[in-house]
Amino acid sequence: MTIAQGKRLNKYISETGLCSRREADKLIEQNRVTINNKIPELGTKVFDGDEVRVDRKLIGATPSNKSDRIYIAYNKPVGITCTTEKHVKGNIIDAIGHKQRIFPIGRLDKPSEGLILLTSDGDIVNKILRAENAHDKEYEVTVTQPISERFLTRMASGVPILGTVTKPCKVSPLGKYKFKIILTQGLNRQIRRMCEFLGYEVSKLKRTRIMHIDLSRLYPGQWRNLTPAEMQTLNDSLKHSQKTANENPQ
């Protein structure tokens, strides 16, 4: 891969699989990154022949086809925490035990379960998460009291939480206490807060799908590599996606 035109340092670092762009910016701000043994500023570009180090360790550019990147789907059980901090008991990295460095794309909070994607490709993370890109995330939710038609209508039309109103979304019943909801947002504990505003308490929350990738064939605690077909569809879907995001756990 050539970078004769220069590549922003945070993008260069994220593409090595070390971390996301946002985390790369933090490393740069903490003066933990050098280019040719000099401490760079945010926004600095990397060119062919430059030597980039993080914590004095040399890192290299990824192949242009990203053939060395990891993309997996994981069925997160309840109790696993979506953090790369290894000192946190029950962290997702130890739970999966992958031999290569990976990190989660977004989060599911500790009491929630279901599909989460993990990767070594920091450049893809924000493209998937950014709400403006309108990538579906589907959940099955169980609450502690019978679901009413009014509840479903209110959930679908938008609920005031966290100083804003949630975007309209698709909601459909799955049983007396259970419903399906498809979001393109990722506000902090969004589904639980929406239900709470309407007087309902969530007893179980399971994410079953992200875009075209679902939980099929995965038991809780199992993971698998994305298939070539899934990767092709994913890359096609992300071609025109923007690249900054802030998804918080459900």
Side-chain angles (χ1 to χ4, degrees):
M1 183 186 73
T2 61
I3 46 176
Q5 301 299 317
K7 179 177 292 186
R8 287 179 66 91
L9 180 56
N10 61 353
K11 177 177 173 64
Y12 180 91
I13 294 172
S14 73
E15 288 184 349
T16 69
L18 183 66
C19 60
S20 68
R21 288 196 191 188
R22 178 172 296 179
E23 291 169 331
D25 282 336
K26 291 179 181 178
L27 293 174
I28 298 166
E29 290 172 342
Q30 294 165 358
N31 295 332
R32 295 168 60 186
V33 180
T34 61
I35 300 178
N36 304 325
N37 295 318
K38 295 181 180 179
I39 296 176
E41 298 178 350
L42 286 173
T44 298
K45 288 190 174 184
V46 180
F47 295 89
D48 283 332
D50 283 343
E51 184 180 87
V52 179
R53 293 180 181 267
V54 176
D55 293 332
R56 299 184 179 180
K57 183 178 179 181
L58 183 66
I59 61 173
T62 184
S64 58
N65 63 1
K66 296 188 177 183
S67 59
D68 63 340
R69 295 285 78 97
I70 304 298
Y71 307 90
I72 70 173
Y74 174 55
N75 189 345
K76 185 192 91 66
V78 171
I80 298 298
T81 302
C82 292
T83 180
T84 58
E85 300 293 333
K86 299 295 286 292
H87 67 273
V88 176
K89 185 178 180 180
N91 70 78
I92 194 170
I93 304 303
D94 285 346
I96 293 175
H98 201 282
K99 63 183 180 180
Q100 295 195 39
R101 181 186 176 93
I102 55 174
F103 42 87
I105 302 176
R107 302 175 181 88
L108 277 173
D109 71 2
K110 192 172 181 179
S112 301
E113 61 184 295
L115 180 64
I116 186 163
L117 305 179
L118 295 97
T119 185
S120 61
D121 180 3
D123 196 45
I124 203 172
V125 175
N126 291 335
K127 291 182 181 180
I128 292 177
L129 298 183
R130 187 172 173 86
E132 285 82 350
N133 293 330
H135 299 313
D136 286 353
K137 296 184 289 289
E138 183 176 305
Y139 302 81
E140 292 180 358
V141 187
T142 304
V143 290
T144 56
Q145 58 181 299
I147 294 168
S148 68
E149 195 64 41
R150 178 180 179 275
F151 169 79
L152 296 174
T153 300
R154 289 293 306 277
M155 289 287 287
S157 60
V159 176
I161 62 171
L162 299 173
T164 187
V165 177
T166 60
K167 292 183 176 182
C169 59
K170 298 178 181 179
V171 183
S172 55
L174 296 175
K176 187 175 181 180
Y177 298 90
K178 188 175 182 180
F179 66 94
K180 177 174 71 175
I181 183 168
I182 301 174
L183 301 179
T184 57
Q185 281 179 296
L187 300 177
N188 192 338
R189 297 172 66 85
Q190 179 172 343
I191 295 172
R192 295 179 189 274
R193 291 179 187 272
M194 291 170 72
C195 290
E196 182 180 353
F197 180 85
L198 297 174
Y200 284 73
E201 181 182 351
V202 173
S203 59
K204 182 177 181 180
L205 193 154
K206 180 178 182 180
R207 183 156 62 193
T208 57
R209 179 174 61 85
I210 298 172
M211 302 170 67
H212 60 288
I213 303 162
D214 61 36
L215 270 180
S216 60
R217 309 184 305 280
L218 283 180
Y219 293 105
Q222 285 188 323
W223 63 269
R224 64 174 177 82
N225 293 310
L226 297 191
T227 66
E230 286 173 330
M231 285 306 306
Q232 181 64 54
T233 302
L234 182 63
N235 288 326
D236 289 344
S237 300
L238 298 179
K239 279 181 180 178
H240 303 294
S241 293
Q242 300 180 63
K243 300 179 181 180
T244 56
N246 183 22
E247 192 210 37
N248 288 300
Q250 297 296 335

